[in-house]
Amino acid sequence: ILRAGAYAEGLGGRVKLMFPMITALEEIHRVHGMVRRAAARLKKEKKPVGNVPIGMMLEVPAAAIAIETLLPSVDFVSIGSNDLVQYLMAADRDNPKVSHLCQPLSPAVIRVLARVVAACNSANTPVTLCGEMAGQPQAFVLLLGMGLRRFSMSSAFVPTIKELASHV
């Protein structure tokens, strides 16, 4: 990925590295160390290395609660709404006996998302919401009102959300 980043820069593109299931600052520090070591090996082999931004997928409630401590060490955040909702609500979304408990618009989820979005915006760290929630019109309006400006969704939802965005 670091090598691809060198070529993408020359073509006007951008390659990014995003690490999932980050829970604590120590994990981000380990990630940075791994990337630095990989870049050093490539440079030693005289191979081109791109300047690749490092981000985190925010899925773990502990990371959401400690977001302010994580932001100085990442270039961007992507909120994995499917997993974050499941873990916040302590209910397996794939288990029919408890999946009804996975409510993305529950007050607890909304409070956590509002706090994460506010922290990211305050730190000028790009934040994107991905997952099923990004394509839900009610959630989109609420999140847009919170200050979220980047959404990643299934292409099937894009026309509906694009139309809604033009009216709010």
Side-chain angles (χ1 to χ4, degrees):
I1 293 172
L2 294 172
R3 289 182 66 194
Y7 295 106
E9 289 171 7
L11 299 172
R14 191 100 195 231
V15 174
K16 298 178 183 180
L17 272 171
M18 181 171 58
F19 291 86
M21 293 296 186
I22 296 294
T23 303
L25 185 58
E26 295 77 27
E27 292 173 320
I28 295 173
H29 290 305
R30 277 187 263 152
V31 161
H32 280 283
M34 291 185 317
V35 172
R36 279 192 304 274
R37 286 190 299 279
R41 279 194 303 271
L42 290 170
K43 288 176 184 176
K44 188 176 180 181
E45 296 171 9
K46 306 258 190 265
K47 294 182 178 166
V49 176
N51 182 19
V52 178
I54 296 175
M56 63 175 280
M57 177 70 83
L58 192 142
E59 303 146 297
V60 179
I65 291 166
I67 189 67
E68 293 86 358
T69 64
L70 305 174
L71 290 176
S73 299
V74 296
D75 298 309
F76 64 95
V77 173
S78 183
I79 301 167
S81 65
N82 295 352
D83 285 335
L84 184 60
V85 169
Q86 173 176 281
Y87 300 145
L88 277 169
M89 304 308 288
D92 182 357
R93 68 180 182 264
D94 295 324
N95 180 337
K97 293 180 181 179
V98 293
S99 62
H100 66 281
L101 298 173
C102 288
Q103 299 293 324
L105 296 177
S106 77
V109 172
I110 297 307
R111 284 182 181 194
V112 167
L113 290 175
R115 190 168 174 274
V116 168
V117 170
C120 289
N121 287 344
S122 178
N124 292 316
T125 302
V127 58
T128 303
L129 181 100
C130 62
E132 294 173 20
M133 193 174 183
Q136 295 175 350
Q138 285 179 311
F140 174 79
V141 171
L142 187 60
L143 292 162
L144 193 66
M146 286 181 200
L148 187 66
R149 297 295 182 263
R150 297 169 189 237
F151 298 81
S152 176
M153 66 192 74
S154 169
S155 60
F157 297 114
V158 171
T160 301
I161 298 299
K162 191 174 178 180
E163 175 69 18
L164 179 59
S166 72
H167 294 290
V168 293

